[in-house]
């Protein structure tokens, strides 16, 4: 929060943001390239033969300090636009209590021509993957699902969730290195 940043700055505490959309007020920021990551996810789905793909993510009006949802969506849009004949359907859901049900409803009520879903994160994708079979949908036979963040539960789903991994240790190392350089310099 801006007030929190201001208090820390006043106390001369260095601030390094991790996976934040903006580094305003921070001494440094470390993140992956959300744009390139989701673009590669869509490229993967296209290479598998999918021609109608949905992106399920936060409603555009929401602010999310954990990562740049806008960059993820833009990567999806640009990847689809680079391939003639690919149809992209963005589906927005509200974050918070009940988001897994909202994500499942978005998938179940989407056009039957959609053969693949790219979710903004694994917190949305994993419950959908787990519950789709209750509704007679098989993954990957009927539909493909890809998430983002590589949460530990992703590997234990049946089938395992295809997901974009974030190099957490490398991100942590870079953030600690920025702090070390700041404090020693």
């Amino acid at each position: 929060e801006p007030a929190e940043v201001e208090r820390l700055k006043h106390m001369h505490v260095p601030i390094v943001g991790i996976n934040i959309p903006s580094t305003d007020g921070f001494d440094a920021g470390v993140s992956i390239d959300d744009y390139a990551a989701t673009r590669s996810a869509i490229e993967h789905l296209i290479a598998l033969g999918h021609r109608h793909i949905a992106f399920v993510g936060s409603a555009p009006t929401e602010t999310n300090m954990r990562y740049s949802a806008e960059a993820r969506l833009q990567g999806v849009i640009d990847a689809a636009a680079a391939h003639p004949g690919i149809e992209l359907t963005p589906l927005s859901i509200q974050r918070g209590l009940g988001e897994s049900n909202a994500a499942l409803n978005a998938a179940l009520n989407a056009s039957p021509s959609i053969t693949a879903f790219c979710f903004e994160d694994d917190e949305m994708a994993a419950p959908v993957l787990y519950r789709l079979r209750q509704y007679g949908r098989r993954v990957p036979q009927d539909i493909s699902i890809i998430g983002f963040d590589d949460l530990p539960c992703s590997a234990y789903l049946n089938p395992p969730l295809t997901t974009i991994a974030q190099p957490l240790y490398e991100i942590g190392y870079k953030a600690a290195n920025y702090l070390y350089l700041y404090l020693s310099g």
Side-chain angles (χ1 to χ4, degrees):
E1 296 295 318
E4 199 173 18
V5 169
E6 192 59 38
R7 282 192 303 271
L8 291 170
K9 283 291 188 191
H10 182 71
M11 296 184 311
H12 305 289
V13 173
I15 304 170
V16 177
I18 296 177
N19 283 352
I20 56 172
S22 169
T23 57
D24 290 343
F26 289 59
D27 297 293
V30 181
S31 66
I32 66 165
D33 186 342
D34 287 301
Y35 172 87
T38 53
R39 186 165 180 149
S40 69
I42 297 304
E43 295 286 348
H44 172 72
L45 292 171
I46 292 169
L48 291 174
H50 296 285
R51 296 294 171 254
H52 190 175
I53 302 167
F55 177 75
V56 182
S58 301
T61 58
E62 293 186 48
T63 58
N64 190 334
M65 289 302 291
R66 293 184 298 161
Y67 52 80
S68 176
E70 295 80 23
R72 291 183 184 185
L73 176 58
Q74 194 60 52
V76 168
I77 291 169
D78 290 352
H83 296 273
I86 298 299
E87 187 175 348
L88 175 66
T89 301
L91 302 171
S92 295
I93 65 164
Q94 295 295 319
R95 298 301 296 224
L97 191 61
E99 79 182 42
S100 62
N101 284 335
L104 178 65
N105 286 335
L108 291 173
N109 294 316
S111 168
S113 67
I114 295 172
T115 59
F117 288 87
C118 178
F119 286 87
E120 184 177 282
D121 59 39
D122 290 351
E123 290 176 358
M124 285 186 215
V128 172
L129 175 65
Y130 179 76
R131 293 182 57 202
L132 275 177
R133 108 181 56 154
Q134 295 172 343
Y135 296 91
R137 306 289 298 271
R138 300 171 304 152
V139 176
Q141 296 88 345
D142 300 329
I143 197 161
S144 289
I145 293 180
I146 193 164
F148 199 111
D149 292 332
D150 198 19
L151 293 181
C153 69
S154 302
Y156 299 105
L157 294 169
N158 184 16
L161 176 63
T162 299
T163 182
I164 300 293
Q166 293 206 52
L168 299 178
Y169 293 106
E170 291 86 352
I171 289 171
Y173 176 82
K174 285 182 179 180
N177 196 40
Y178 280 131
L179 287 173
Y180 173 77
L181 292 172
Y182 180 86
L183 295 172
S184 65

